[in-house]
Amino acid sequence: MFEFTKVSDDCIKCGKCIPTCTIHQVNQDEVTSPRGFIDLLANYQKGELELDKNAKDIFESCFLCTNCVDVCPNSLPTDMVIEEVRNDIAKKFGIAWYKRVFFWLLRHRWAMDLASKLGYVFKSCALKSSSEGLIPRFNLPMVKKDRLLPSIAGKSFLNSYPEKIKGENSKKVAIFIGCLANYNYTEIGDSLVYILKELGFDILIPKKQKCCA
């Protein structure tokens, strides 16, 4: 368990984290900057900040991209302390139904495959295509109208290749693909397979691999 007040005291308020913060680029408010998160967490631990819906929304706005951690001169674990307070949030407010559904899908590959196929077939009903991805036609759970979303592949990466691909030499490589590369950015995996084939590697693509999260 982290000592939020110590993390806050270790922050020298240099501001290097702010230009890299994904959320701050959208909502340019000190409260939703990495050092703002840290100060709020310290106040929460000292009992000076109530974990109400407003605080919940602030702490849940962080993408946990770790950009701030990478540039922090003190390597403060901003992402990890936010994850810890989110545990308190889940205990107090529970987990939204749509998040429960999503987590269940991530644990069951067959269901995620089915959801992805249905999403691809019916995406035009709720989403409109653009040159950069997909845009919701109306507000959806967790997604507001006009927010840019990644495209949905017609066939997942894992379902596009056999489990073993024989190469020309004895070198072997296993591919563990992330969910986005499996269902959305399949061209990443396609390019990786192409390169490994050109290099003559034996390729193993475990079909029972699970979500890394």
Side-chain angles (χ1 to χ4, degrees):
M1 181 175 180
F2 287 96
E3 188 71 31
F4 296 155
T5 53
K6 183 180 185 306
V7 175
S8 178
D9 290 341
D10 289 343
C11 176
I12 60 176
K13 307 296 187 290
C14 65
K16 286 186 176 181
C17 56
I18 292 179
T20 69
C21 178
T22 309
I23 297 301
H24 195 267
Q25 291 177 19
V26 177
N27 182 31
Q28 297 185 1
D29 189 328
E30 178 68 20
V31 172
T32 51
S33 69
R35 64 185 184 186
F37 286 133
I38 289 174
D39 284 344
L40 288 176
L41 286 168
N43 291 332
Y44 164 61
Q45 193 168 62
K46 290 186 289 187
E48 298 174 1
L49 175 69
E50 181 184 355
L51 194 59
D52 56 13
K53 188 178 184 304
N54 185 45
K56 170 182 175 292
D57 291 342
I58 291 173
F59 291 132
E60 288 188 339
S61 67
C62 176
F63 283 169
L64 302 177
C65 65
T66 71
N67 286 347
C68 57
V69 179
D70 292 338
V71 300
C72 178
N74 284 343
S75 300
L76 297 180
T78 307
D79 59 321
M80 298 178 73
V81 293
I82 290 176
E83 284 183 337
E84 189 164 313
V85 77
R86 284 182 177 177
N87 185 49
D88 292 347
I89 290 172
K91 289 178 180 177
K92 182 175 181 178
F93 294 94
I95 300 176
W97 66 267
Y98 51 85
K99 290 184 179 180
R100 291 179 182 272
V101 170
F102 187 66
F103 293 151
W104 185 85
L105 288 172
L106 290 177
R107 293 194 300 269
H108 298 83
R109 179 72 68 184
W110 65 269
M112 192 66 174
D113 286 347
L114 178 60
S116 178
K117 288 180 181 178
L118 291 174
Y120 177 77
V121 172
F122 296 105
K123 64 182 179 181
S124 60
C125 298
L127 306 168
K128 53 185 177 182
S129 299
S130 73
S131 58
E132 298 179 331
L134 301 173
I135 301 175
R137 297 182 184 274
F138 43 81
N139 290 335
L140 300 169
M142 297 191 296
V143 181
K144 292 185 177 181
K145 184 181 178 182
D146 297 330
R147 180 173 177 176
L148 185 65
L149 299 173
S151 59
I152 303 173
K155 191 175 184 180
S156 71
F157 170 80
L158 288 176
N159 290 329
S160 299
Y161 296 92
E163 189 164 35
K164 295 181 180 179
I165 302 174
K166 186 66 178 175
E168 297 177 356
N169 57 46
S170 59
K171 295 180 180 179
K172 299 179 180 180
V173 172
I175 297 178
F176 291 90
I177 203 78
C179 290
L180 282 175
N182 187 37
Y183 295 108
N184 304 99
Y185 304 111
T186 53
E187 64 274 10
I188 295 175
D190 295 338
S191 298
L192 178 57
V193 170
Y194 173 79
I195 292 171
L196 292 174
K197 280 183 175 180
E198 289 295 306
L199 294 174
F201 282 86
D202 279 354
I203 305 172
L204 173 64
I205 307 175
K207 295 295 183 176
K208 294 184 179 181
Q209 57 185 274
K210 304 294 184 180
C211 174
C212 61

Short mmCIF file of all heavy atoms in Angstrom, two decimals, residues 136-171:
data_model
loop_
_atom_site.label_atom_id
_atom_site.label_comp_id
_atom_site.label_asym_id
_atom_site.label_seq_id
_atom_site.Cartn_x
_atom_site.Cartn_y
_atom_site.Cartn_z
N PRO A 136 -18.92 7.47 -32.67
CA PRO A 136 -20.29 7.12 -32.24
C PRO A 136 -21.32 8.09 -32.80
O PRO A 136 -21.08 9.30 -32.87
CB PRO A 136 -20.22 7.21 -30.71
CG PRO A 136 -18.77 7.07 -30.38
CD PRO A 136 -18.04 7.71 -31.52
N ARG A 137 -22.47 7.56 -33.20
CA ARG A 137 -23.56 8.40 -33.68
C ARG A 137 -24.34 9.02 -32.52
O ARG A 137 -25.03 10.01 -32.68
CB ARG A 137 -24.51 7.57 -34.55
CG ARG A 137 -23.87 7.01 -35.81
CD ARG A 137 -24.89 6.24 -36.64
NE ARG A 137 -24.28 5.62 -37.80
CZ ARG A 137 -24.08 6.23 -38.97
NH1 ARG A 137 -24.46 7.48 -39.12
NH2 ARG A 137 -23.52 5.59 -39.98
N PHE A 138 -24.22 8.40 -31.33
CA PHE A 138 -24.90 8.90 -30.13
C PHE A 138 -24.09 8.43 -28.91
O PHE A 138 -23.16 7.63 -29.04
CB PHE A 138 -26.34 8.39 -30.06
CG PHE A 138 -26.49 6.93 -30.42
CD1 PHE A 138 -26.22 5.92 -29.51
CD2 PHE A 138 -26.89 6.58 -31.71
CE1 PHE A 138 -26.34 4.59 -29.85
CE2 PHE A 138 -27.01 5.23 -32.07
CZ PHE A 138 -26.74 4.24 -31.14
N ASN A 139 -24.44 8.95 -27.74
CA ASN A 139 -23.72 8.59 -26.52
C ASN A 139 -23.92 7.11 -26.19
O ASN A 139 -25.03 6.59 -26.25
CB ASN A 139 -24.20 9.43 -25.34
CG ASN A 139 -23.75 10.88 -25.46
OD1 ASN A 139 -22.76 11.18 -26.11
ND2 ASN A 139 -24.48 11.78 -24.82
N LEU A 140 -22.81 6.45 -25.85
CA LEU A 140 -22.82 5.04 -25.48
C LEU A 140 -22.21 4.90 -24.09
O LEU A 140 -21.55 5.82 -23.61
CB LEU A 140 -22.00 4.23 -26.49
CG LEU A 140 -22.46 4.26 -27.95
CD1 LEU A 140 -21.40 3.64 -28.85
CD2 LEU A 140 -23.78 3.52 -28.10
N PRO A 141 -22.43 3.76 -23.41
CA PRO A 141 -21.78 3.56 -22.11
C PRO A 141 -20.26 3.70 -22.23
O PRO A 141 -19.64 3.07 -23.08
CB PRO A 141 -22.17 2.12 -21.75
CG PRO A 141 -23.47 1.90 -22.46
CD PRO A 141 -23.34 2.66 -23.75
N MET A 142 -19.67 4.55 -21.41
CA MET A 142 -18.23 4.82 -21.37
C MET A 142 -17.75 5.64 -22.57
O MET A 142 -16.61 6.07 -22.61
CB MET A 142 -17.39 3.52 -21.31
CG MET A 142 -17.60 2.70 -20.08
SD MET A 142 -16.37 1.37 -19.93
CE MET A 142 -16.75 0.38 -21.36
N VAL A 143 -18.60 5.85 -23.56
CA VAL A 143 -18.17 6.54 -24.78
C VAL A 143 -19.17 7.63 -25.14
O VAL A 143 -20.36 7.36 -25.31
CB VAL A 143 -18.05 5.56 -25.97
CG1 VAL A 143 -17.56 6.29 -27.21
CG2 VAL A 143 -17.11 4.41 -25.62
N LYS A 144 -18.68 8.85 -25.26
CA LYS A 144 -19.55 9.95 -25.63
C LYS A 144 -19.57 10.14 -27.14
O LYS A 144 -18.66 9.74 -27.85
CB LYS A 144 -19.09 11.25 -24.94
CG LYS A 144 -19.28 11.23 -23.43
CD LYS A 144 -18.92 12.57 -22.82
CE LYS A 144 -19.17 12.57 -21.32
NZ LYS A 144 -18.83 13.87 -20.70
N LYS A 145 -20.64 10.76 -27.61
CA LYS A 145 -20.79 11.03 -29.03
C LYS A 145 -19.61 11.83 -29.55
O LYS A 145 -19.09 12.72 -28.87
CB LYS A 145 -22.10 11.79 -29.26
CG LYS A 145 -22.42 12.06 -30.72
CD LYS A 145 -23.72 12.82 -30.86
CE LYS A 145 -24.02 13.13 -32.32
NZ LYS A 145 -25.26 13.92 -32.47
N ASP A 146 -19.18 11.52 -30.76
CA ASP A 146 -18.09 12.20 -31.47
C ASP A 146 -16.70 11.83 -30.95
O ASP A 146 -15.71 12.39 -31.41
CB ASP A 146 -18.25 13.73 -31.42
CG ASP A 146 -19.51 14.19 -32.14
OD1 ASP A 146 -19.92 13.51 -33.10
OD2 ASP A 146 -20.08 15.21 -31.74
N ARG A 147 -16.61 10.90 -30.01
CA ARG A 147 -15.29 10.45 -29.57
C ARG A 147 -14.73 9.45 -30.58
O ARG A 147 -15.43 8.55 -31.04
CB ARG A 147 -15.38 9.80 -28.19
CG ARG A 147 -14.03 9.30 -27.67
CD ARG A 147 -14.14 8.82 -26.25
NE ARG A 147 -12.89 8.27 -25.78
CZ ARG A 147 -12.69 7.85 -24.54
NH1 ARG A 147 -13.66 7.92 -23.65
NH2 ARG A 147 -11.53 7.35 -24.18
N LEU A 148 -13.47 9.60 -30.91
CA LEU A 148 -12.84 8.73 -31.90
C LEU A 148 -12.53 7.37 -31.29
O LEU A 148 -11.94 7.27 -30.22
CB LEU A 148 -11.56 9.38 -32.43
CG LEU A 148 -10.85 8.65 -33.57
CD1 LEU A 148 -11.73 8.63 -34.81
CD2 LEU A 148 -9.51 9.31 -33.87
N LEU A 149 -12.93 6.32 -31.99
CA LEU A 149 -12.70 4.94 -31.55
C LEU A 149 -11.90 4.19 -32.61
O LEU A 149 -11.96 4.53 -33.79
CB LEU A 149 -14.03 4.22 -31.32
CG LEU A 149 -14.96 4.82 -30.25
CD1 LEU A 149 -16.30 4.09 -30.28
CD2 LEU A 149 -14.32 4.72 -28.88
N PRO A 150 -11.17 3.16 -32.19
CA PRO A 150 -10.43 2.36 -33.19
C PRO A 150 -11.39 1.55 -34.05
O PRO A 150 -12.50 1.23 -33.64
CB PRO A 150 -9.55 1.45 -32.32
CG PRO A 150 -10.28 1.34 -31.02
CD PRO A 150 -10.93 2.68 -30.81
N SER A 151 -10.95 1.23 -35.24
CA SER A 151 -11.77 0.43 -36.14
C SER A 151 -11.88 -1.00 -35.61
O SER A 151 -11.12 -1.42 -34.74
CB SER A 151 -11.15 0.41 -37.54
OG SER A 151 -9.83 -0.11 -37.48
N ILE A 152 -12.85 -1.75 -36.12
CA ILE A 152 -13.06 -3.14 -35.70
C ILE A 152 -12.75 -4.04 -36.88
O ILE A 152 -13.29 -3.86 -37.97
CB ILE A 152 -14.51 -3.36 -35.24
CG1 ILE A 152 -14.87 -2.39 -34.10
CG2 ILE A 152 -14.72 -4.80 -34.78
CD1 ILE A 152 -16.33 -2.44 -33.71
N ALA A 153 -11.87 -5.00 -36.66
CA ALA A 153 -11.47 -5.91 -37.74
C ALA A 153 -12.56 -6.95 -37.99
O ALA A 153 -13.26 -7.38 -37.07
CB ALA A 153 -10.16 -6.60 -37.39
N GLY A 154 -12.69 -7.36 -39.24
CA GLY A 154 -13.67 -8.38 -39.57
C GLY A 154 -13.30 -9.74 -39.03
O GLY A 154 -14.16 -10.57 -38.75
N LYS A 155 -12.00 -9.97 -38.85
CA LYS A 155 -11.52 -11.24 -38.31
C LYS A 155 -10.33 -10.95 -37.41
O LYS A 155 -9.44 -10.19 -37.77
CB LYS A 155 -11.10 -12.17 -39.45
CG LYS A 155 -10.84 -13.61 -39.04
CD LYS A 155 -10.56 -14.47 -40.27
CE LYS A 155 -10.40 -15.93 -39.90
NZ LYS A 155 -10.13 -16.78 -41.09
N SER A 156 -10.33 -11.53 -36.23
CA SER A 156 -9.26 -11.26 -35.27
C SER A 156 -7.94 -11.84 -35.76
O SER A 156 -7.90 -12.75 -36.59
CB SER A 156 -9.60 -11.84 -33.90
OG SER A 156 -9.53 -13.26 -33.93
N PHE A 157 -6.86 -11.30 -35.22
CA PHE A 157 -5.53 -11.80 -35.59
C PHE A 157 -5.37 -13.27 -35.24
O PHE A 157 -4.88 -14.07 -36.05
CB PHE A 157 -4.45 -10.97 -34.88
CG PHE A 157 -3.07 -11.53 -35.02
CD1 PHE A 157 -2.33 -11.32 -36.17
CD2 PHE A 157 -2.51 -12.29 -34.00
CE1 PHE A 157 -1.05 -11.86 -36.31
CE2 PHE A 157 -1.23 -12.83 -34.12
CZ PHE A 157 -0.51 -12.61 -35.28
N LEU A 158 -5.79 -13.66 -34.03
CA LEU A 158 -5.61 -15.04 -33.59
C LEU A 158 -6.39 -16.03 -34.46
O LEU A 158 -5.99 -17.18 -34.60
CB LEU A 158 -6.03 -15.19 -32.13
CG LEU A 158 -5.10 -14.57 -31.09
CD1 LEU A 158 -5.69 -14.71 -29.69
CD2 LEU A 158 -3.72 -15.22 -31.14
N ASN A 159 -7.49 -15.57 -35.02
CA ASN A 159 -8.30 -16.45 -35.87
C ASN A 159 -7.88 -16.39 -37.34
O ASN A 159 -8.48 -17.06 -38.18
CB ASN A 159 -9.78 -16.08 -35.76
CG ASN A 159 -10.36 -16.44 -34.41
OD1 ASN A 159 -9.93 -17.41 -33.78
ND2 ASN A 159 -11.32 -15.67 -33.94
N SER A 160 -6.85 -15.61 -37.62
CA SER A 160 -6.41 -15.45 -39.01
C SER A 160 -5.22 -16.34 -39.37
O SER A 160 -4.87 -16.45 -40.55
CB SER A 160 -6.03 -13.98 -39.28
OG SER A 160 -7.14 -13.13 -39.07
N TYR A 161 -4.61 -16.96 -38.36
CA TYR A 161 -3.41 -17.75 -38.60
C TYR A 161 -3.49 -19.08 -37.85
O TYR A 161 -4.15 -19.18 -36.82
CB TYR A 161 -2.16 -16.99 -38.14
CG TYR A 161 -1.89 -15.72 -38.92
CD1 TYR A 161 -2.39 -14.50 -38.46
CD2 TYR A 161 -1.16 -15.74 -40.10
CE1 TYR A 161 -2.16 -13.33 -39.17
CE2 TYR A 161 -0.92 -14.58 -40.81
CZ TYR A 161 -1.43 -13.38 -40.34
OH TYR A 161 -1.20 -12.22 -41.05
N PRO A 162 -2.78 -20.10 -38.35
CA PRO A 162 -2.69 -21.36 -37.60
C PRO A 162 -1.81 -21.16 -36.36
O PRO A 162 -1.10 -20.16 -36.24
CB PRO A 162 -2.03 -22.31 -38.60
CG PRO A 162 -1.25 -21.42 -39.51
CD PRO A 162 -2.06 -20.16 -39.64
N GLU A 163 -1.86 -22.10 -35.46
CA GLU A 163 -1.09 -21.96 -34.23
C GLU A 163 0.41 -22.05 -34.49
O GLU A 163 1.21 -21.41 -33.81
CB GLU A 163 -1.50 -23.03 -33.21
CG GLU A 163 -0.91 -22.81 -31.83
CD GLU A 163 -1.61 -23.61 -30.76
OE1 GLU A 163 -2.04 -24.74 -31.07
OE2 GLU A 163 -1.74 -23.12 -29.63
N LYS A 164 0.80 -22.84 -35.48
CA LYS A 164 2.21 -23.00 -35.80
C LYS A 164 2.45 -22.70 -37.28
O LYS A 164 1.73 -23.18 -38.14
CB LYS A 164 2.69 -24.41 -35.48
CG LYS A 164 2.64 -24.75 -33.99
CD LYS A 164 3.15 -26.17 -33.73
CE LYS A 164 3.11 -26.50 -32.25
NZ LYS A 164 3.58 -27.89 -31.97
N ILE A 165 3.46 -21.88 -37.53
CA ILE A 165 3.86 -21.56 -38.89
C ILE A 165 5.33 -21.95 -39.04
O ILE A 165 6.19 -21.41 -38.35
CB ILE A 165 3.67 -20.06 -39.20
CG1 ILE A 165 2.21 -19.65 -38.99
CG2 ILE A 165 4.12 -19.74 -40.62
CD1 ILE A 165 1.96 -18.16 -39.13
N LYS A 166 5.59 -22.89 -39.91
CA LYS A 166 6.94 -23.43 -40.06
C LYS A 166 7.82 -22.48 -40.86
O LYS A 166 7.42 -21.96 -41.91
CB LYS A 166 6.88 -24.79 -40.77
CG LYS A 166 8.20 -25.51 -40.86
CD LYS A 166 8.71 -25.93 -39.50
CE LYS A 166 10.03 -26.70 -39.62
NZ LYS A 166 10.61 -27.01 -38.29
N GLY A 167 9.03 -22.24 -40.34
CA GLY A 167 9.98 -21.39 -41.03
C GLY A 167 11.09 -22.20 -41.68
O GLY A 167 11.05 -23.43 -41.69
N GLU A 168 12.09 -21.50 -42.19
CA GLU A 168 13.17 -22.16 -42.92
C GLU A 168 14.38 -22.45 -42.05
O GLU A 168 15.31 -23.11 -42.50
CB GLU A 168 13.58 -21.30 -44.11
CG GLU A 168 12.46 -21.10 -45.14
CD GLU A 168 12.88 -20.17 -46.27
OE1 GLU A 168 14.00 -19.63 -46.19
OE2 GLU A 168 12.09 -19.99 -47.21
N ASN A 169 14.41 -21.93 -40.82
CA ASN A 169 15.55 -22.22 -39.95
C ASN A 169 15.03 -22.73 -38.60
O ASN A 169 13.83 -22.91 -38.40
CB ASN A 169 16.44 -20.99 -39.78
CG ASN A 169 15.69 -19.79 -39.23
OD1 ASN A 169 14.92 -19.91 -38.27
ND2 ASN A 169 15.90 -18.62 -39.83
N SER A 170 15.94 -22.96 -37.68
CA SER A 170 15.58 -23.57 -36.39
C SER A 170 15.19 -22.54 -35.33
O SER A 170 14.84 -22.92 -34.21
CB SER A 170 16.76 -24.41 -35.87
OG SER A 170 17.91 -23.59 -35.71
N LYS A 171 15.25 -21.28 -35.65
CA LYS A 171 14.91 -20.26 -34.67
C LYS A 171 13.40 -20.17 -34.50
O LYS A 171 12.65 -20.27 -35.46
CB LYS A 171 15.48 -18.91 -35.10
CG LYS A 171 17.00 -18.87 -35.13
CD LYS A 171 17.52 -17.51 -35.56
CE LYS A 171 19.04 -17.49 -35.58
NZ LYS A 171 19.57 -16.17 -36.01
#
